[in-house]
Amino acid sequence: MTNNTLRIENLELEVAGQKVLQALSMTIRPSEIHILMGPNGAGKSSLAKAIVGHPHYIPQRGHIIFDEQKVDPWTPDKRAQMGIFMAFQSPCEVEGVSVANFLRTAIRAYPHLQASQYTATQFYNHLYTLMDQVGLKRDFTGRELNRGFSGGEKKRLEMLQMLLFQPRLAILDEIDSSLDIEAFQIVVDTLHFLQKSCKTGFLIITHSISFIEQICPSRIHLLKFGRIVQSGGKELLARIQKFGFNEN
Ligand SMILES: Nc1ncnc2c1ncn2[C@@H]1O[C@H](COP(=O)(O)OP(=O)(O)OP(=O)(O)O)[C@@H](O)[C@H]1O
Ligand SMILES: [Mg+2]
């Protein structure tokens, strides 16, 4: 019986000879939305990369546990197959790979999803429905992955992937940056849709107070110099809003 819970225990991470994360612990249960805030360079993106298994961000100490299993020996693709999804702060551009080919290949890694068994016609119909949902025009299917996409279009494609793959844990690194008002609402609606329909748990990295207010998070964590220095609810957000990061 799986329960999608992510548990991080006493994580320590050093990158290029610099301590980036220290004694970091956190638990995210199904359907919970956790916010990670903190100054530039605090270690937020590094934590996200460590969770998804980026080879340059392998922790020296501590454990990352998902569904009661240590993910440490798992490759990034195994972590993705187990339901851990990440939307990158700066999604990379891939020359020569079309959006449709990428998504159709990627969905086959998720045999438990009905969409992985679809014929080409069924898959495209499904894809077009989701593209309408995130406001991406259909001709994007033929474009090279993220190449020449505007900032907001890249973020919409990340949302499209999240809807398609229905992750059990989604890590969104500044998904709200570069979004217009319409896309901002799409992100909020998509989060709440997956939270309810798939019990997806979320770790959301953001600098935007208005985004946090709209998401209604379960918990907010403040990361400074690689350590979680405060965790709390709305009252912590109000303090950060009033005093900035320095008073916490
Ligand atoms: N590959 C790397 N090589 C060298 N230093 C790195 C590397 N990755 C991260 N760092 C350093 O680790 C620290 C944390 O970086 P990280 O990207 O995690 O910060 P962040 O909290 O996401 O900041 P921001 O809000 O600006 O996105 C920074 O000092 C950064 O320079
Ligand atoms: Mg970052």
Side-chain angles (χ1 to χ4, degrees):
M1 179 69 187
T2 57
N3 67 9
N4 307 6
T5 297
L6 174 80
R7 251 182 27 241
I8 300 174
E9 292 176 349
N10 258 319
L11 208 68
E12 279 193 34
L13 173 71
E14 221 173 85
V15 183
Q18 185 194 334
K19 267 208 161 69
V20 174
L21 298 174
Q22 298 183 60
L24 193 144
S25 297
M26 176 188 285
T27 300
I28 302 178
R29 296 184 183 82
S31 297
E32 284 186 352
I33 300 180
H34 287 240
I35 301 288
L36 190 61
M37 299 187 83
N40 294 134
K44 304 179 298 296
S45 296
S46 300
L47 172 63
K49 289 173 190 167
I51 297 171
V52 297
H54 190 302
H56 297 161
Y57 297 80
I58 306 290
Q60 281 71 34
R61 275 211 194 93
H63 294 291
I64 300 170
I65 295 158
F66 187 61
D67 273 349
E68 302 304 327
Q69 298 178 74
K70 284 185 184 158
V71 307
D72 310 47
W74 295 355
T75 57
D77 56 314
K78 161 107 183 185
R79 295 182 200 207
Q81 278 176 335
M82 295 300 283
I84 301 176
F85 172 86
M86 177 167 171
F88 285 89
Q89 185 169 357
S90 312
C92 65
E93 304 189 0
V94 185
E95 202 178 334
V97 176
S98 72
V99 167
N101 274 342
F102 165 67
L103 296 175
R104 188 130 166 78
T105 305
I107 195 77
R108 295 203 181 104
Y110 301 91
H112 64 284
L113 295 178
Q114 209 183 354
S116 68
Q117 312 300 326
Y118 283 167
T119 62
T121 312
Q122 286 172 322
F123 181 74
Y124 272 93
N125 285 338
H126 182 52
L127 194 56
Y128 290 153
T129 307
L130 299 182
M131 289 177 92
D132 291 346
Q133 215 170 316
V134 300
L136 267 182
K137 289 206 210 91
R138 292 174 181 195
D139 56 11
F140 272 82
T141 51
R143 300 232 346 224
E144 288 174 296
L145 196 64
N146 284 319
R147 277 202 97 200
F149 283 28
S150 72
E153 287 165 351
K154 284 182 181 172
K155 296 301 169 89
R156 285 171 192 252
L157 182 59
E158 298 292 294
M159 296 309 290
L160 175 67
Q161 290 172 55
M162 192 164 72
L163 277 171
L164 193 59
F165 304 143
Q166 301 179 6
R168 300 195 288 140
L169 173 78
I171 303 162
L172 310 181
D173 195 354
E174 298 198 26
I175 190 83
D176 52 304
S177 65
S178 320
L179 295 184
D180 61 28
I181 293 170
E182 185 200 77
F184 191 87
Q185 194 54 50
I186 288 170
V187 170
V188 173
D189 293 345
T190 304
L191 287 183
H192 289 150
F193 170 76
L194 287 170
Q195 180 190 27
K196 287 200 181 71
S197 62
C198 301
K199 295 199 177 343
T200 304
F202 290 92
L203 177 62
I204 297 178
I205 297 166
T206 181
H207 294 288
S208 163
I209 300 277
S210 62
F211 185 49
I212 297 171
E213 283 170 341
Q214 290 206 40
I215 293 172
C216 308
S218 319
R219 204 148 176 81
I220 297 159
H221 308 277
L222 175 56
L223 189 74
K224 279 169 77 173
F225 304 113
R227 285 179 189 274
I228 291 182
V229 292
Q230 292 267 329
S231 293
K234 279 188 192 151
E235 75 295 340
L236 175 58
L237 191 62
R239 273 212 306 282
I240 292 172
Q241 212 167 357
K242 201 162 170 193
F243 302 114
F245 296 134
N246 292 333
E247 298 293 318
N248 287 279

